[in-house]
Amino acid sequence: MKAKIIGIEDGVIGVEVIDPRGNQHIIEIPVDNDEASDYHGQNAYPHSSEERTEDQERLMNQAFARARFEAHINTNFDILLSDWDPRQLRRGIDALEKMPLNQFDEAFREYYHALINPERTKQEYGITEGRVEFEGEPRIALIMKGFCINDENEVVEVLPDMYIYYSKEDIEETYTTGTPASCSEGTTQITPMVPPFVEVPEDFVYPEDFRGFLINNLICQIRDVYRNMGETPPKQYDIEGYGKPKGNFERDEY
């Protein structure tokens, strides 16, 4: 994808995106009116999403994501949440790398135990048969645990609760429980998001390896930010591992 800002006028950012097929997209992103809708103009694909193929729909979404990314990094407006800004995710990696190991252990021990013992986590959070929105045995799909960093890339707070996605094996819809807490003003929230361990490797050493595991997830989240807008990730982030749970890409392709 190639993108450039073509103008900012009356609270609207205009972005031109050229997709990999050479087709032009003109996208307008309002920044002063929360009720205004984004505009996505193009003449290469059907205008109705119902008439587009799966590949065409994905490409349209990728072009839109690329436009928002361009507006975020090349204007003074905050368009993206920190979890979709590679620069902020990189700061989160730096913060974890320099966090004293004893502090990391105290801050993330609960998260580690939730991931290695999902059955106990289900009991603690009421994710059990008869207490959820569907019949049958639920399973935990993803557990998120946010932390807050300051301008010096230091972890100043780990959010007290976890946010959990759960589902059933034969349905795609997911449900959530927990508290989607947020960081205080002046700090930046970074959120590791991973499924429970199937099993803990015999040579896995806590807390050292768990810190590396969370860093790997943040690196893979950066990777998936680029995939989400139809671009090849920078080499240092194009690694194996679990990143974003969903996006404008097919996980099975990678």
Side-chain angles (χ1 to χ4, degrees):
M1 297 278 183
K2 295 181 180 179
K4 66 177 181 180
I5 306 294
I6 57 176
I8 303 175
E9 186 175 345
D10 297 331
V12 176
I13 303 172
V15 185
E16 178 190 57
V17 177
I18 306 299
D19 70 31
R21 301 179 184 178
N23 297 312
Q24 181 191 55
H25 302 251
I26 300 297
I27 297 167
E28 296 179 352
I29 304 168
V31 290
D32 289 343
N33 185 349
D34 293 337
E35 297 181 1
S37 299
D38 299 312
Y39 168 79
H40 187 161
Q42 53 80 36
N43 294 313
Y45 311 105
H47 284 231
S48 171
S49 60
E50 288 78 13
E51 298 176 359
R52 293 194 284 262
T53 66
E54 185 176 335
D55 285 344
Q56 289 172 340
E57 182 69 11
R58 182 184 301 128
L59 196 149
M60 287 281 289
N61 291 335
Q62 289 174 343
F64 181 68
R66 182 65 180 86
R68 289 176 56 82
F69 180 80
E70 188 73 14
H72 181 77
I73 63 173
N74 285 317
T75 72
N76 293 323
F77 297 98
D78 287 328
I79 309 296
L80 303 175
L81 297 175
S82 58
D83 285 335
W84 287 93
D85 184 340
R87 300 169 302 181
Q88 303 298 352
L89 290 167
R90 178 68 250 184
R91 293 180 57 225
I93 293 169
D94 294 343
L96 288 181
E97 287 179 336
K98 68 181 183 182
M99 189 177 188
L101 196 58
N102 63 328
Q103 292 181 18
F104 175 87
D105 172 25
E106 182 177 352
F108 290 99
R109 187 185 308 127
E110 180 188 14
Y111 190 30
Y112 173 68
H113 285 289
L115 288 166
I116 66 172
N117 194 344
E119 291 303 315
R120 187 179 71 178
T121 304
K122 285 164 59 176
Q123 293 292 330
E124 291 178 352
Y125 280 80
I127 309 172
T128 54
E129 188 171 2
R131 299 178 65 184
V132 294
E133 296 87 342
F134 49 82
E135 295 182 358
E137 182 66 27
R139 65 177 180 86
I140 292 178
L142 190 74
I143 305 180
M144 305 167 65
K145 178 78 167 177
F147 61 94
C148 314
I149 61 175
N150 61 17
D151 291 340
E152 286 72 43
N153 295 358
E154 299 169 330
V155 178
V156 294
E157 181 183 7
V158 176
L159 298 177
D161 204 1
M162 291 174 284
Y163 200 55
I164 301 175
Y165 285 78
Y166 61 93
S167 183
K168 189 180 176 183
E169 290 290 349
D170 58 348
I171 58 176
E172 294 184 0
E173 186 174 2
T174 56
Y175 302 84
T176 59
T177 189
T179 305
S182 58
C183 294
S184 59
E185 187 175 352
T187 63
T188 300
Q189 181 170 330
I190 305 297
T191 308
M193 46 184 73
V194 288
F197 282 62
V198 175
E199 61 180 2
V200 180
E202 291 184 2
D203 58 350
F204 194 92
V205 178
Y206 177 87
E208 295 94 327
D209 288 345
F210 189 57
R211 172 158 60 182
F213 177 77
L214 297 189
I215 289 171
N216 178 271
N217 173 246
L218 295 182
I219 293 173
C220 291
Q221 285 194 51
I222 295 175
R223 177 202 66 199
D224 288 348
V225 168
Y226 287 94
R227 289 180 179 174
N228 183 64
M229 52 189 180
E231 296 194 346
T232 301
K235 185 176 181 180
Q236 66 268 36
Y237 302 117
D238 198 7
I239 67 171
E240 294 289 331
Y242 190 92
K244 297 291 187 186
K246 59 183 179 179
N248 301 315
F249 53 87
E250 286 290 339
R251 184 172 300 280
D252 293 340
E253 292 180 2
Y254 300 99

